[in-house]
Amino acid sequence: MSVAAAGEPAPAEVRKRPKNRKSQLALAAAEMFCERGYHGVSLDEIATAVGISGPAIYRHFPNKYAMLVHATRQLVEAVLTATDLPAGGDPEQRLDQLLAVLARLAVDHRRVAGLYQWEWRYLEPEHRAEFLAELSVLAARLADPLREVRPELTGRDTYALVRAALSVFGSLGTHRAAIARGRAEAVLRRVAWAVLRDEPATPVPPSPEYPSPEPVTGVTARREILLAESIKLFHRHGYHAVAVEDIGRAAGINASSVYRYFPGKADILAAAFYRASERVTESTAAALAGAAGDEDALRRMAESYVELTFERSALVSVYLAENNNLPRADRHELRKMQRLHVEEWVRLLGRLRPGLAAPEARVLVHAGLNLVTDLSRLVRFDRRSGMDRHLTRLTLTVLKA
């Protein structure tokens, strides 16, 4: 050990910058984007999460958007690298290996799965196209062995089933229900196999135009009109892209008049969420009323959830996509209501499958619900596709897997 000469100050300790600082920042950003929404996170908060100053971020990223691009690329790269398995061999075995890898990745990346579910929508068209192209590569890796295992499937059928399987894996990131790692992987893998072995949807291609807005019938109260127009705008453009002026214009009033009915835009969003929760509660109660036993009740609940998703597509989409933008108190209250809804399914499933552990039942329920919203978006909520009937059956397949 060297000793400083007498009277000379000891040399300052040199702190080395971690070589993976950029990846650390991207991961921290991704987790925070998924927890609180892209627009709800600042650069300073990301910097604090990794123990550096705000200005130090600019050594690695020019802005927050660059972090979102890097985080989505990092997620897709991890998935594509892990699923790049040798070609050839038994197709069923190869498909099983892919499902096992995806189940492990779903657990490993649970906290950033929201990038795949929702946050990627904030990408600019160029980066969005890149992201979707890379997801198509992943889909093809599943589709190739699936076509060998099930040669009777058409190309469209194959990709519809692959999309459903990917939705199952993505569903783990939509909730916080606790489950042991090994169990989570086993359940996801089992459910994905059940989906891939199911009957295909054979949907009719939806019309290319944007789906017709949900009609507001029998509504005269200005507050209700404002709420209905806000839901359409939030659904089409995203919460942060919509201004109070846009809402007022859509409702036929001045922006200043909007504040007579709602204190602010966040309060309109909260009202939309409470409305969605009410609709879910009402549809669940109607499904359970008069059911001829638990099996019938489960089928009716699946039918009612699919029905609600297609009938109230804008409301359901906003409910699922924008919860990070709610005021804190409303977010806490609404998540509690969401958990209560899931527990209705879990209790019913527990009576039908007494040997099924509650943590596994919750994973199944979330997978089934996520499947409905994912695949209904695939056909733009167009009933002519026949996807609504298929989703009822597929949801029951997931719950019984």
Side-chain angles (χ1 to χ4, degrees):
M1 175 186 290
S2 62
V3 179
E8 293 182 3
E13 180 183 353
V14 177
R15 293 182 60 189
K16 292 185 177 180
R17 189 181 307 152
K19 292 182 179 180
N20 65 339
R21 178 70 82 196
K22 188 169 186 175
S23 293
Q24 285 181 342
L25 283 165
L27 178 59
E31 291 179 353
M32 295 174 78
F33 293 158
C34 295
E35 174 66 22
R36 292 159 48 194
Y38 172 69
H39 289 284
V41 179
S42 70
L43 283 174
D44 285 340
E45 289 172 319
I46 297 169
T48 299
V50 296
I52 63 174
S53 66
I57 281 184
Y58 295 105
R59 297 183 189 133
H60 306 280
F61 296 100
N63 50 44
K64 188 172 72 168
Y65 178 75
M67 301 181 82
L68 176 64
V69 172
H70 189 85
T72 53
R73 284 174 173 168
Q74 198 166 256
L75 175 62
V76 173
E77 182 182 351
V79 174
L80 292 183
T81 299
T83 57
D84 189 13
L85 303 181
D90 179 71
E92 186 164 352
Q93 186 177 14
R94 191 162 80 254
L95 187 55
D96 189 57
Q97 289 174 334
L98 284 167
L99 297 184
V101 168
L102 288 170
R104 174 175 56 79
L105 291 169
V107 176
D108 287 345
H109 298 281
R110 184 178 186 181
R111 296 183 64 182
V112 297
L115 292 176
Y116 165 73
Q117 289 288 132
W118 294 107
E119 296 307 309
W120 66 272
R121 66 199 165 125
Y122 295 116
L123 294 172
E124 296 295 332
E126 174 192 356
H127 297 121
R128 186 181 301 183
E130 174 190 322
F131 181 68
L132 293 176
E134 289 174 329
L135 289 181
S136 295
V137 173
L138 173 62
R141 288 180 180 174
L142 288 168
D144 289 345
L146 179 60
R147 272 194 293 261
E148 292 186 63
V149 172
R150 300 188 62 182
E152 79 280 6
L153 294 176
T154 66
R156 184 183 296 164
D157 292 341
T158 302
Y159 277 94
L161 291 176
V162 165
R163 173 68 180 261
L166 291 175
S167 177
V168 168
F169 293 118
S171 69
L172 194 66
T174 65
H175 61 94
R176 302 176 182 178
I179 183 170
R181 178 190 182 90
R183 280 192 170 190
E185 291 185 23
V187 173
L188 292 174
R189 186 176 178 184
R190 187 174 76 234
V191 175
W193 260 122
V195 165
L196 294 178
R197 289 180 174 128
D198 197 62
E199 295 178 39
T202 58
V204 176
S207 54
E209 68 272 10
Y210 196 83
S212 301
E214 295 172 357
V216 182
T217 58
V219 175
T220 56
R222 181 64 68 184
R223 189 178 190 277
E224 289 299 316
I225 295 173
L226 280 168
L227 183 57
E229 295 300 331
S230 299
I231 290 168
K232 296 174 195 173
L233 290 170
F234 294 157
H235 173 48
R236 181 171 291 191
H237 304 294
Y239 173 76
H240 283 279
V242 176
V244 171
E245 289 79 6
D246 299 322
I247 295 170
R249 190 180 306 112
I253 62 175
N254 295 326
S256 59
S257 299
V258 174
Y259 296 105
R260 298 177 188 173
Y261 306 95
F262 295 96
K265 191 173 74 164
D267 300 280
I268 302 177
L269 181 64
F273 267 69
Y274 285 112
R275 177 61 50 82
S277 290
E278 290 166 9
R279 295 290 181 266
V280 170
T281 301
E282 289 167 3
S283 66
T284 300
L288 294 175
D294 290 338
E295 190 76 37
D296 186 45
L298 189 67
R299 179 187 58 78
R300 289 163 63 99
M301 282 185 69
E303 287 175 344
S304 71
Y305 190 77
V306 171
E307 180 80 10
L308 177 67
T309 301
F310 275 82
E311 279 193 355
R312 301 282 181 173
S313 58
L315 182 60
V316 171
S317 294
V318 170
Y319 182 69
L320 294 168
E322 303 292 354
N323 66 84
N324 290 325
N325 296 309
L326 286 166
R328 184 182 297 273
D330 293 305
R331 186 164 64 242
H332 176 76
E333 179 64 25
L334 283 156
R335 282 179 176 171
K336 184 169 68 176
M337 295 169 71
Q338 289 169 343
R339 286 195 295 271
L340 290 173
H341 174 239
V342 169
E343 289 307 306
E344 286 274 6
W345 290 81
V346 170
R347 281 192 292 272
L348 182 55
L349 201 54
R351 291 198 299 270
L352 286 166
R353 301 179 61 182
L356 184 68
E360 294 187 19
R362 292 187 187 97
V363 170
L364 293 178
V365 170
H366 281 289
L369 299 181
N370 196 59
L371 239 172
V372 172
T373 52
D374 265 2
L375 268 67
S376 56
R377 289 204 314 272
L378 181 65
V379 296
R380 300 192 185 101
F381 305 96
D382 192 333
R383 286 186 180 278
R384 292 172 298 171
S385 67
M387 185 62 84
D388 52 344
R389 296 184 298 277
H390 172 67
L391 282 173
T392 297
R393 186 183 71 246
L394 194 58
T395 301
L396 294 174
T397 295
V398 168
L399 295 174
K400 295 174 181 179

